[in-house]
Amino acid sequence: MSTATLQRKNSSGKSEAVGSAHKGYAPDPETLRDVMKVLPKDALEQRVGFAFFTTFRVWAFTLLGLYLTSIAPWYLLPLTWVFFGTAATGLFVVAHDCAHQSFSKSRTLNEVVGTICMMPLMFPYCGWELTHNHHHQFANHLDKDHLWRPLKKEQLEKMSTFSKYVAYYMYGPLFFESSILHHAYHFLLPIVARRAKAKTGRSVVFALLGCAMTPYGISYLGPLWKLYWAPFLVFQFWLSTFTLFHHRNPRGAGWKEDKDWNKVYGSLFATVHVAFPSWIEYLTLDINWHLPHHASALIPWYNLRKCTHALMMAYGDRLCTDEFSWELWKEVTRECHMYDPVEGYKTMWA
């Protein structure tokens, strides 16, 4: 499938072609190997020492967030919760690199570091690795990608009014609560997964240890609702926000069904680069410089920025970009519940 067939909506709401070769830019890639050719030669280079330094830095900011929350007066708690929860999201990003084997070349070391970073977040590392790699395999595939896949028209037509209201809030204003349910699902993987049962079972054991040890230790510093559960919700908010806005955008190229989809389309042209405030990017290790990550999950976090710039230099406005804002928030949560390959996004009540 040529990327010249891609469509997206411009600022006036009209459809326009995306992916045709532009003068001065690289030709449309046929495979992800073609995409890798436009990236810097050291895109996949791993610096394990720097990766460990970053891991210690992330832990330091997370513990600083815990300390600030423990001493903050009540009127400053929302600020410390945001800082604490965002810093803790950095722990997840370290584990994210480990799961993609971009932290180091040692799969054992990656699992150890990733598991330790996910334990205080009560997340099964190996289970998440399994489901997340499925998302990478089928990004923006309307039939196979499980991550924030919008509804189809025929699905919506079969739903009761009650089910529509539930779907509206879980896909819309309360979308981060859906992330919590997805989080909990990973504890069931040793039972429901067809493969990797030993690995997923092992990761559940360590996650349960994290469930027991982390709240127990924090309880000595103060009430858990203040020092753990509120920052935990901030972490869940960012975890779901990042992935939602990368893969749903009213002006993005959108989702495609099997007959029209290929990996270049889903990974590069349908995935959206969303710019977040710099302090968020710093605490969460540039995870929102996301386009190169879908070109190759082996690219370490510290190479994402220069690889993103290389992609933009190569493909220009064929790539989808946006900026995190209240307006984008309202658009995505109110208007992007259903997707039709021809008409694009529709609201729940269309």
Side-chain angles (χ1 to χ4, degrees), residues 242-257:
F242 294 163
T243 52
L244 176 67
F245 292 158
H246 289 157
H247 300 287
R248 284 199 199 182
N249 186 294
R251 289 166 297 284
W255 297 63
K256 287 191 180 293
E257 296 174 322

Side-chain angles (χ1 to χ4, degrees), residues 312-345:
M312 290 181 175
M313 291 293 291
Y315 301 117
D317 61 5
R318 285 171 285 177
L319 304 178
C320 301
T321 63
D322 213 326
E323 185 174 357
F324 180 67
S325 65
W326 177 235
E327 289 304 315
L328 178 63
W329 171 283
K330 289 189 293 185
E331 280 187 295
V332 172
T333 57
R334 293 177 181 177
E335 302 173 14
C336 297
H337 302 100
M338 183 186 74
Y339 191 80
D340 181 88
V342 176
E343 299 179 11
Y345 285 107

